[in-house]
Amino acid sequence: MIRKFLTFLFISLCCFHAVAQEVKDETKKEGLKDDLTRLKSGEDLNVLYRNESSFGVYIHTAGGIGLAYRRGFHVTAKRKRQYEIEVQNFKHPKEIKSINPYFENAKGFVYGKLNSLLILRPGLGIQNTLYQKSDKRSVEIRYSYFLGATLTFAKPVYLEIKKISIGNPDNPPTTERYDPNIHSIDEIYGKAPFFRGIEKTKIYPGGYAKLALSFEYADRYNGLKAVETGAVVDIYPRVIPIMAFNKNQQVFI
């Protein structure tokens, strides 16, 4: 009788252990599914992503806009190594759009402008985190600095020139490269199409340095939304001619 009781007790314990193990395995599977779901949805605060890519649009105080792409890689939990490439236009502070009142249907132009500038900046930098996110509603504050090359493409400005003669006051306008020593403001009909003279574009190489402060506020940890402010300095070995009748520079901020 005792032997039968012990046998029954042993079988019961084995069955209980098997059921408990099965429940534990199912719980573990459910936990893994929840972790994977949180990981894919970007809800897990404790995940450190190995790299990130970002794309942005910005405005700058030189009166233009720019586009930027960055690729970042974690060096430590609070530091990233970043590669970036930016492209932007640049306007001289003395650029003022005008219309010649002496001609009907005249087009707008900037008097004295010699070249239109497009700036390309490939660079390398470091981004450090000052304050990390504590939850998905908080803001992460970062600062970064970059050094790199600057390639500035200077396309000469072409204008439509209308020279009035006594015998033929209705001469059609001709397209010519602007020369302040030849063209007076009275005979400028307007700006020529932008791509006119693009084959005569000159490249001015230089370097740049940047310091920036950014505020990242995305509500998912696998996404990136940020507002950034900062300053960039471009330095060139020679002067870039932008405006006639004005002092041109080698350093732009």
Side-chain angles (χ1 to χ4, degrees):
M1 185 70 181
I2 296 176
R3 182 180 295 177
K4 290 182 179 180
F5 176 75
L6 292 175
T7 303
F8 173 77
L9 183 61
F10 177 74
I11 293 173
S12 299
L13 289 173
C14 288
C15 292
F16 177 77
H17 175 74
V19 172
Q21 183 66 35
E22 184 178 357
V23 172
K24 187 176 180 181
D25 288 344
E26 289 298 324
T27 304
K28 187 183 293 184
K29 288 179 182 178
E30 291 297 327
L32 288 173
K33 288 181 181 178
D34 291 342
D35 290 342
L36 288 173
T37 301
R38 288 170 58 83
L39 179 64
K40 290 180 180 179
S41 64
E43 296 179 359
D44 196 340
L45 174 64
N46 298 315
V47 175
L48 183 65
Y49 291 93
R50 187 176 300 171
N51 56 70
E52 66 180 29
S53 296
S54 61
F55 175 79
V57 179
Y58 63 90
I59 58 174
H60 57 86
T61 53
I65 61 172
L67 302 174
Y69 172 78
R70 287 182 186 169
R71 181 78 169 160
F73 301 88
H74 272 283
V75 178
T76 65
K78 292 188 175 183
R79 173 173 289 196
K80 295 188 190 81
R81 181 176 65 253
Q82 291 194 319
Y83 302 94
E84 73 168 4
I85 185 165
E86 293 183 344
V87 59
Q88 71 168 58
N89 65 339
F90 187 90
K91 294 183 179 180
H92 194 279
K94 293 295 182 68
E95 289 189 29
I96 300 174
K97 192 172 183 178
S98 305
I99 296 178
N100 197 331
Y102 297 108
F103 299 120
E104 292 185 2
N105 302 319
K107 303 176 183 179
F109 66 97
V110 177
Y111 182 62
K113 187 171 182 177
L114 300 170
N115 290 289
S116 297
L117 301 189
L118 185 69
I119 299 175
L120 180 68
R121 298 190 191 99
L124 172 65
I126 296 294
Q127 183 184 81
N128 294 295
T129 301
L130 287 174
Y131 300 100
Q132 289 183 308
K133 285 185 175 181
S134 57
D135 58 63
K136 64 181 182 180
R137 297 187 199 88
S138 58
V139 176
E140 185 168 283
I141 303 177
R142 310 162 169 180
Y143 74 92
S144 55
Y145 49 89
F146 290 86
L147 293 173
T150 299
L151 294 175
T152 295
F153 300 84
K155 189 200 80 66
V157 172
Y158 277 70
L159 299 175
E160 292 186 1
I161 305 299
K162 193 169 184 178
K163 297 180 179 179
I164 299 175
S165 60
I166 297 176
N168 190 3
D170 295 326
N171 283 336
T174 59
T175 302
E176 301 176 19
R177 181 174 180 174
Y178 173 65
D179 186 341
N181 298 316
I182 298 175
H183 303 122
S184 68
I185 191 171
D186 296 334
E187 59 185 16
I188 298 176
Y189 183 75
K191 187 178 179 181
F194 176 80
F195 290 102
R196 184 62 184 270
I198 196 170
E199 72 281 357
K200 296 184 179 180
T201 299
K202 290 185 178 181
I203 300 177
Y204 293 83
Y208 83 95
K210 178 197 293 184
L211 182 64
L213 184 68
S214 63
F215 304 87
E216 203 281 321
Y217 58 92
D219 57 357
R220 289 291 183 269
Y221 301 110
N222 60 351
L224 179 63
K225 294 179 182 178
V227 175
E228 183 173 277
T229 181
V232 183
V233 179
D234 293 293
I235 303 174
Y236 302 90
R238 54 178 174 153
V239 171
I240 300 179
I242 304 176
M243 296 289 293
F245 320 116
N246 289 275
K247 184 179 179 181
N248 291 295
Q249 307 173 75
Q250 294 175 258
V251 179
F252 300 103
I253 301 176

